Amino acid sequence: MDLYKAIRSLYEEKKRLDRLIQSLERIQARAVAVESEKPKARRGRRGMSAGERLEVSERMKRYWASRRASSNTANRSETTAATAAAGSGGSTLPDAIF
């Protein structure tokens, strides 16, 4: 008889656990349903507005204009040095090579 009571008690506990599991699964299903209704965040880069594109365009124009200006001054100084060396009859290369 003692074994019969133990088995019966375990079956009752199993039924109680099954009901508990079902209620938890329902709660989880509701949470997933509510979560899926939310709009998902967009992945990747955010697009630029027309004003932002214009701002970047102007900034890059200024950047490249300054690069060209500094490049031109560097080229002028190199050209001036080479012209001065050639005009004085000297070569910019050592004579030992030839």
Side-chain angles (χ1 to χ4, degrees):
M1 272 308 184
D2 206 42
L3 187 59
Y4 178 74
K5 284 184 181 180
I7 292 172
R8 191 169 158 191
S9 171
L10 289 173
Y11 272 115
E12 288 174 11
E13 188 174 349
K14 180 180 181 267
K15 285 181 185 178
R16 186 181 63 80
L17 289 172
D18 285 339
R19 281 181 292 192
L20 183 62
I21 289 171
Q22 283 179 344
S23 66
L24 290 174
E25 286 175 341
R26 275 186 253 134
I27 291 171
Q28 182 184 17
R30 280 188 225 131
V32 169
V34 169
E35 188 176 295
S36 65
E37 290 174 6
K38 295 178 184 176
K40 294 189 177 184
R42 190 173 142 192
R43 295 181 59 143
R45 292 187 181 191
R46 179 179 64 88
M48 282 194 278
S49 68
E52 289 172 323
R53 281 193 300 276
L54 183 62
E55 187 178 316
V56 170
S57 174
E58 294 299 322
R59 187 171 58 241
M60 292 309 293
K61 285 177 185 176
R62 287 192 306 270
Y63 170 78
W64 285 111
S66 69
R67 293 280 298 213
R68 279 191 299 275
S70 66
S71 175
N72 286 340
T73 59
N75 286 341
R76 284 186 200 143
S77 63
E78 289 175 9
T79 305
T80 306
T83 305
S88 64
S91 173
T92 56
L93 297 174
D95 292 332
I97 293 176
F98 297 106

